[in-house]
Amino acid sequence: MSTYRVNPAAPDEAYLIFWQERHLCTLTTLRPDGSPHVVPVGVTYDPAAGLARVITNRTSAKVSHVLAAGPEGARVAVCQVAGRRWATLEGRAQVRTEPERVAEAERRYAERYGRTPRENPSRVVVEITVERALGRG
């Protein structure tokens, strides 16, 4: 059986480049009943910090699901696919509201997706501490 494990702190060059290209991703959170909630998002990956980041509105369902998990954070996964290339990052998510963290997430989003996010005073960032990486860049 093939293995597609990647060291999340030191991904190979092809994997890292794949996370720098402009791709739509999905974020999977769990609803209170345990069923998966999968939504399209923009994701940035920062292996040096061990984080993936998703900017969103504080009233979104994904934020509610993460907050409902409590102070230890919610188990989540983000994924992207393009042809035969794919990548998944798994870990624990926390909702961050600190202006400097939101600004850093917005900066990274603009860098990856080639556009500055529109002004949103209700913006927060879902920070995922990456524990596992899988895929083939």
Side-chain angles (χ1 to χ4, degrees):
M1 173 160 65
S2 296
T3 180
Y4 296 103
R5 290 183 186 259
V6 175
N7 178 344
D12 62 58
E13 185 176 357
Y15 193 82
L16 186 56
I17 288 170
F18 188 42
W19 277 105
Q20 293 167 344
E21 296 169 355
R22 188 182 194 284
H23 294 288
L24 187 61
C25 304
T26 60
L27 169 67
T28 302
T29 59
L30 297 177
R31 295 181 181 99
D33 68 1
S35 63
H37 174 75
V38 184
V39 294
V41 293
V43 176
T44 61
Y45 176 35
D46 180 359
L51 295 174
R53 296 175 178 93
V54 176
I55 58 174
T56 189
N57 195 302
R58 73 179 69 243
T59 61
S60 69
K62 58 187 150 293
V63 167
S64 296
H65 299 155
V66 171
L67 292 173
E72 291 184 13
R75 304 258 337 134
V76 303
V78 291
C79 184
Q80 65 181 18
V81 62
R84 295 177 55 90
R85 298 184 306 157
W86 63 277
T88 299
L89 303 173
E90 300 174 2
R92 291 222 176 250
Q94 300 279 339
V95 176
R96 306 304 298 237
T97 59
E98 302 91 336
E100 66 278 4
R101 288 186 179 265
V102 173
E104 178 65 8
E106 290 171 333
R107 183 190 70 75
R108 289 177 178 274
Y109 179 94
E111 186 177 277
R112 180 174 190 196
Y113 291 97
R115 67 175 188 82
T116 301
R118 73 180 184 285
E119 185 70 25
N120 180 353
S122 296
R123 181 168 289 128
V124 297
V125 59
V126 174
E127 283 188 352
I128 302 159
T129 301
V130 179
E131 298 169 349
R132 181 180 302 156
L134 305 165
R136 182 171 67 193

